[in-house]
């Protein structure tokens, strides 16, 4: 069986659930809209999601440090994806292009040293750091909506921490890094016997 594409090679939708290549075809959306109109007697107007290049995204208040490993990103798509969770209100806001609280930077550590570097830099910047797993929070957990609106923020994306470190075959206990969830097909087993 062919290996599915690595999740790192696929971009998440900037506004909603899943990946960009998982958008339903236009004819299916039109059919669904017609079904809604027929059932309810109103509504069912199709509206396209606001394209990312038309979204007004606050200018990052932090500058991504130059580094070869790509630890920090201030890319528009990265910041939009990490700005909202997946509650209905998040989907609606993303679809409309309303990103009131984008993180200033997104950090993608690959090991504990990277995590320490992110935390140290964030401390120097006075920035909040918000862990990001799959980004499916439905209660605003990943959105950098801070009491102090002037405080910058860094979204700490854990998806590159994708290794199983240790398995105890007797007790069936394992040490698994935080980014492994829902990515079992690409887990690489390190230090296991
Ligand atoms: C359609 C849909 C269906 C769902 N169904 C269910 C369900 O049936 N049962 C259920 O329990 N939930 C459900 N959820 C909610 C959501 O999927 C879960 O809460 C999920 O477990 C969140 O995991 P995540 O990796 O996406 O976390 P994220 O959304 O990335 O983060 C959630 C919160 O945890 C923090 N966080 C993330 N990783 C870490 C870490 N390593 N250390 C410390 N803090 C961290 C984040 O900062 C945030 O506050 C559903 C959501 C959707 C959109």
């Amino acid at each position: 069986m062919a290996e599915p594409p690595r999740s790192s090679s696929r971009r998440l939708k900037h506004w909603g659930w899943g990946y960009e290549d998982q958008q339903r075809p236009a004819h299916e959306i039109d059919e669904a809209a017609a079904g809604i109109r027929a059932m309810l007697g109103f509504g069912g107007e199709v509206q396209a999601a606001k394209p990312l290049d038309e979204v007004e995204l606050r200018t990052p208040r932090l500058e991504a440090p130059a580094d070869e490993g790509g630890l920090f990103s201030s890319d528009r798509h990265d910041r939009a994806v990490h700005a909202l969770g997946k509650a209905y209100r998040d989907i609606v806001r993303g679809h409309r292009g309303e990103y009131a609280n984008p993180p200033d930077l997104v950090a993608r550590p690959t090991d504990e040293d990277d995590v320490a570097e992110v935390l140290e830099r964030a401390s120097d910047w006075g920035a909040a750091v918000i862990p990001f797993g799959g980004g499916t929070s439905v209660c605003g957990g990943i959105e950098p909506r801070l009491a102090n609106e002037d405080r910058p923020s860094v979204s700490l994306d854990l998806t590159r921490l994708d290794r199983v470190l240790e398995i105890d075959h007797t007790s069936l206990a394992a040490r698994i890094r935080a980014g492994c969830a829902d990515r079992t097909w690409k887990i690489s087993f390190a230090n296991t016997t």
Side-chain angles (χ1 to χ4, degrees):
M1 193 170 71
E3 186 182 270
R6 287 184 69 91
S7 56
S8 58
S9 68
R10 300 174 77 193
R11 294 208 322 174
L12 289 167
K13 272 186 206 172
H14 69 273
W15 60 270
W17 183 267
Y19 293 92
E20 286 179 330
D21 59 18
Q22 291 177 314
Q23 181 61 28
R24 304 310 307 169
H27 72 88
E28 286 188 16
I29 295 173
D30 289 340
E31 286 167 18
I36 289 169
R37 274 195 302 278
M39 183 174 290
L40 300 179
F42 64 91
E45 296 87 16
V46 176
Q47 290 182 352
K50 193 163 194 174
L52 183 58
D53 55 11
E54 292 176 19
V55 170
E56 280 184 36
L57 214 56
R58 180 178 60 205
T59 305
R61 295 163 297 184
L62 299 171
E63 193 174 336
D67 67 285
E68 291 179 2
L71 179 55
F72 291 96
S73 165
S74 57
D75 173 74
R76 276 176 74 76
H77 179 265
D78 276 342
R79 293 177 62 227
V81 164
H82 293 77
L84 298 170
K86 293 294 180 290
Y88 182 64
R89 66 191 170 86
D90 298 323
I91 305 296
V92 170
R93 287 187 294 164
H95 195 268
R96 290 176 177 165
E98 297 171 4
Y99 295 84
N101 306 296
D104 297 281
L105 295 177
V106 174
R108 289 192 175 81
T110 55
D111 57 27
E112 287 81 355
D113 289 344
D114 283 351
V115 175
E117 182 177 341
V118 173
L119 296 178
E120 280 167 18
R121 287 189 185 269
S123 175
D124 292 343
W125 293 326
V129 177
I130 301 176
F132 181 103
T136 63
S137 169
V138 287
C139 47
I142 60 158
E143 181 174 344
R145 192 173 49 185
L146 307 178
N148 176 358
E149 292 181 1
D150 295 328
R151 190 178 184 197
S153 64
V154 177
S155 181
L156 184 67
D157 186 312
L158 303 166
T159 51
R160 288 186 183 164
L161 295 169
D162 60 354
R163 293 172 74 86
V164 175
L165 297 177
E166 186 181 2
I167 296 175
D168 183 328
H169 292 277
T170 305
S171 66
L172 296 182
R175 284 200 305 132
I176 303 172
R177 283 184 171 159
C180 283
D182 200 26
R183 291 177 173 82
T184 46
W185 55 267
K186 70 162 191 168
I187 289 173
S188 45
F189 288 81
N191 305 325
T192 61
T193 54

